[in-house]
């Protein structure tokens, strides 16, 4: 791959991870790794264009149906695709179907851009990861196989010790903090052939004393009330956090860093 290549456009496809939750901005919007990456690329390429089609809560079938065709038609230099993880976290998950849909997405996107970027998504340490690890690793094996077949770049966030640290995750335990998103942007930046700004993005965080029993119980109660129970409610009623929500940045337009 060329060193410091001159890409002129970026389209991001996916779910809440690519939308930018939980990198919260003062105005209540989410920034996230894709916006950070676009800002870096725009800073070195006048007229750089960016679209972000991601919507929180989307399953891989919805991503294929609602985003992939739109992204392919844009003809961007770089397309990032991250999807399928929401499916693996469902109690009932047909991994054959998930992998088939991911394959369809890659087969449609790879020929439409100069560089397709896939990811092995990060996983937070804890019982949730352990429960769903086999499904996640089956998904990531499919990602690796598809990348090799179609010339895509794979960014291995799953293997980054720093991103598995609970301190990198928001109180909902599903989305990265601002620092986590910064590290992901750096990882993709490097994977695209740019010179590293943070060579140690994957490094573990400095050791720290774990929170005490009382602090853990308070955090557990907060998590259950604010995030777990609403999530269960949506599953039981067939709703999604992304229902009726438009794509984050639906058009491929020149990108200017907010506040610039």
């Amino acid at each position: 791959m060329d060193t410091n290549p001159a890409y002129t456009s970026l389209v991001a496809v996916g779910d809440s991870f690519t939308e930018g939750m939980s990198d919260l901005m003062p105005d209540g919007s989410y920034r996230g790794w894709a916006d950070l990456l676009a800002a870096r690329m725009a800073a070195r390429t006048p007229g750089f264009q960016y679209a972000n089609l991601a919507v929180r809560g989307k399953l891989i079938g919805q991503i294929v149906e609602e985003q992939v065709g739109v992204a392919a038609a844009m003809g961007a230099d770089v397309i990032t695709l991250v999807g399928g993880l929401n499916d693996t976290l469902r109690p009932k998950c047909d991994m054959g179907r998930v992998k088939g849909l991911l394959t369809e997405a890659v087969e449609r996107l790879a020929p439409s851009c100069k560089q397709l970027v896939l990811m092995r998504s990060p996983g937070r340490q804890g019982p949730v990861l352990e429960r769903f690890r086999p499904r996640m690793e089956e998904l990531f094996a499919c990602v690796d196989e598809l990348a090799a077949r179609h010339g895509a770049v794979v960014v291995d966030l799953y293997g980054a010790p720093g991103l598995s640290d609970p301190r990198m995750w928001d109180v909902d335990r599903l989305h990265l903090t601002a620092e986590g998103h910064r590290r992901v942007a750096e990882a993709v930046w490097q994977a695209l052939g740019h010179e590293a700004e943070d060579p140690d993005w994957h490094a573990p965080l400095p050791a720290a004393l774990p929170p005490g029993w009382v602090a853990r119980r308070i955090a557990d109660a907060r998590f259950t009330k604010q995030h777990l129970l609403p999530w269960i409610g949506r599953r039981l009623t067939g709703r999604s956090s992304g229902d009726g929500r438009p794509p984050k940045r639906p058009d491929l337009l020149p990108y200017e860093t907010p506040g610039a």
Side-chain angles (χ1 to χ4, degrees), residues 68-253:
V68 167
V70 176
M74 287 180 171
D77 283 354
V78 178
I79 297 178
T80 65
L81 168 64
V82 188
L85 200 62
N86 282 337
D87 298 78
T88 68
L89 299 177
R90 298 295 178 99
K92 296 181 179 180
C93 173
D94 182 346
M95 287 303 298
R97 180 175 182 274
V98 170
K99 292 187 291 184
L101 287 165
L102 182 62
T103 299
E104 178 184 345
V106 170
E107 289 177 345
R108 292 170 64 184
L109 291 174
S112 73
C113 63
K114 291 182 179 179
Q115 184 61 66
L116 178 63
V117 178
L118 307 177
M119 297 189 197
R120 294 163 57 92
S121 304
R124 182 184 186 275
Q125 295 173 2
V128 173
L129 175 62
E130 293 309 314
R131 178 181 178 184
F132 296 105
R133 185 187 297 275
R135 289 181 184 175
M136 293 170 63
E137 294 186 346
E138 185 177 352
L139 178 68
F140 299 156
C142 181
V143 166
D144 290 342
E145 179 183 345
L146 289 169
R149 191 187 313 163
H150 295 279
V153 169
V154 177
V155 182
D156 185 12
L157 307 174
Y158 183 68
L163 291 178
S164 67
D165 192 305
R167 290 173 288 174
M168 282 288 185
W169 295 76
D170 191 51
V171 293
D172 67 3
R173 304 180 184 181
L174 287 174
H175 301 106
L176 292 170
T177 62
E179 172 59 15
H181 280 283
R182 184 198 68 79
R183 292 191 180 210
V184 173
E186 176 67 30
V188 182
W189 175 258
Q190 293 183 29
L192 287 172
H194 296 292
E195 184 177 353
E197 295 185 13
D198 177 12
D200 299 321
W201 68 265
H202 57 280
L205 274 64
L209 291 175
W213 186 89
V214 173
R216 295 199 305 273
R217 298 295 77 78
I218 291 174
D220 288 344
R222 179 186 179 190
F223 162 71
T224 300
K225 179 180 180 180
Q226 296 183 1
H227 302 287
L228 180 59
L229 292 179
W231 184 86
I232 293 173
R234 290 194 297 271
R235 298 290 80 75
L236 292 176
T237 57
R239 294 178 293 116
S240 167
S241 57
D243 287 347
R245 184 176 293 274
K248 180 177 184 179
R249 186 180 169 92
D251 300 310
L252 187 62
L253 297 171

Side-chain angles (χ1 to χ4, degrees), residues 14-17 19 21 28-30 53-59 62 67 86 175 240-243 245-246:
D15 51 33
S16 59
F17 174 68
E19 184 184 341
M21 297 173 71
S29 65
Y30 291 110
L53 306 181
V55 178
R56 67 194 68 174
K58 293 299 182 181
L59 303 174
Q62 295 170 310
Q67 301 179 32
N86 282 337
H175 301 106
S240 167
S241 57
D243 287 347
R245 184 176 293 274

